[in-house]
Amino acid sequence: MLENKTAVVTGGTRGIGRAIVLKLSQMGANVVFNYRSNDAMAQELVELIQATGKKALAVKGDVKDFNDAAELIALTVKTFGSIDILVNNAGITKDSLILRMTEEDFDDVINTNLKGTFNCIKHAAKPMLKAKKGRIINMASVIGLIGNPGQANYAASKAGIIGLTKAVAKEFATRGITVNAIAPGFIESDMTDKLSDDQKSAILKNIPAGSLGSAEDVASLVGYLSTDEAKYITGQVINVDGGMVV
Ligand code: NAP
């Protein structure tokens, strides 16, 4: 379904990003994924994909660095000739109540989650506009829709991603490029492993489906939004949250 297409996934070594990398590769795409620190995990993922006969490239870099984002997109185009799909998935949390939140914690989360998304869109836009086609999928969160105590920085970054998504969707709508956001609820990953059992059981009470989601639940939607079949879906925020926010 995605044969002869090239996808870039930021934050691809772990959790949701890794599931997205594997999904897009299984669907036939060449996949370039970025990561910040864990070289061994990145290498293991490249080898896993190459063993299936598909192409993958890992590019180390920090999405909040404008030049690293430029390098990621330039290397993709140089290696595979195009960028057809951009998944802005890299994200971090640095939680604390607003009175205790440091300026550094606020800036780091905004710069990684929101500015990082802007950086990659900015550099991917030119080749996509030239090709008159593309798919941009940004990882937001239900927290960007409803807020959460202790996550002012994270909620602001994810709400910002939603606004960014809608604005760019309108700018690119006539150019064959769709731009959508996904808002996961609580998904099993390193990010949610940090929660205590008490926090988890409190969260489960608010999820009608009665369980946390999996990274593959999110990756499936990324896969669909990446296809030609999804060409008339743009500017949307789609929740993958077991009915948590309806
Ligand atoms: P995760 O397990 O913590 O993995 C985060 C990934 O992002 C890692 O590959 C990490 O690479 C990379 N990364 C972090 N900062 C980066 C940076 N500055 N530059 C490049 N890569 C960076 O996270 P996750 O739970 O899978 O979450 C993925 C996305 O979904 C995030 O945007 C998150 O906000 C969103 N989300 C998650 C949930 C959830 O319940 N898990 C819910 C809603 C939304 P390194 O390992 O090299 O640091």
Side-chain angles (χ1 to χ4, degrees):
M1 252 179 147
L2 299 178
E3 280 78 17
N4 302 317
K5 292 196 195 289
T6 298
V8 171
V9 181
T10 66
T13 45
R14 290 188 283 124
I16 295 171
R18 187 175 191 274
I20 293 169
V21 167
L22 290 171
K23 179 73 186 179
L24 296 178
S25 175
Q26 281 156 14
M27 290 173 75
N30 307 315
V31 185
V32 179
F33 65 89
N34 137 288
Y35 66 104
R36 190 182 40 174
S37 58
N38 198 324
D39 298 325
M41 248 182 197
Q43 186 56 28
E44 182 262 340
L45 186 54
V46 167
E47 284 167 14
L48 185 69
I49 291 172
Q50 285 174 345
T52 67
K54 303 276 172 38
K55 291 182 183 151
L57 177 70
V59 182
K60 193 172 188 173
D62 188 335
V63 290
K64 65 178 178 288
D65 183 312
F66 194 69
N67 295 324
D68 281 8
E71 179 74 7
L72 171 65
I73 304 302
L75 255 176
T76 301
V77 175
K78 190 173 165 210
T79 308
F80 293 113
S82 68
I83 167 168
D84 304 282
I85 301 152
L86 169 65
V87 185
N88 285 303
N89 167 78
I92 59 165
T93 52
K94 287 201 171 177
D95 299 352
S96 61
L97 295 171
I98 196 84
L99 284 176
R100 287 201 204 118
M101 189 174 286
T102 64
E103 184 184 8
E104 194 192 355
D105 287 350
F106 187 83
D107 288 348
D108 204 15
V109 170
I110 296 289
N111 287 337
T112 303
N113 300 3
L114 179 56
K115 173 95 186 313
T117 300
F118 163 79
N119 286 344
C120 294
I121 291 176
K122 173 86 183 150
H123 296 297
K126 265 193 193 156
M128 282 188 179
L129 286 166
K130 203 168 157 206
K132 296 190 176 66
K133 64 182 167 119
R135 297 280 181 269
I136 298 173
I137 299 157
N138 300 324
M139 210 51 70
S141 166
V142 291
I143 303 305
L145 296 167
I146 61 172
N148 198 27
Q151 292 199 302
N153 48 3
Y154 185 74
S157 73
K158 296 300 185 179
I161 286 173
I162 290 170
L164 176 66
T165 299
K166 292 181 180 184
V168 182
K170 288 183 177 180
E171 289 185 26
F172 291 172
T174 60
R175 317 294 285 274
I177 302 167
T178 66
V179 189
N180 291 291
I182 296 178
F186 284 90
I187 306 296
E188 286 187 46
S189 73
D190 291 348
M191 204 176 255
T192 45
D193 281 351
K194 288 187 217 157
L195 299 167
S196 68
D197 285 348
D198 282 353
Q199 282 173 311
K200 273 193 189 160
S201 52
I203 287 163
L204 283 176
K205 282 190 194 127
N206 293 316
I207 303 177
S211 60
L212 299 191
S214 70
E216 288 72 25
D217 292 329
V218 180
S220 298
L221 178 57
V222 173
Y224 175 67
L225 289 173
S226 300
T227 64
D228 292 340
E229 286 179 0
K231 69 180 187 309
Y232 203 57
I233 302 171
T234 197
Q236 302 304 307
V237 183
I238 305 174
N239 294 9
V240 180
D241 67 355
M244 188 182 157
V245 177
V246 289

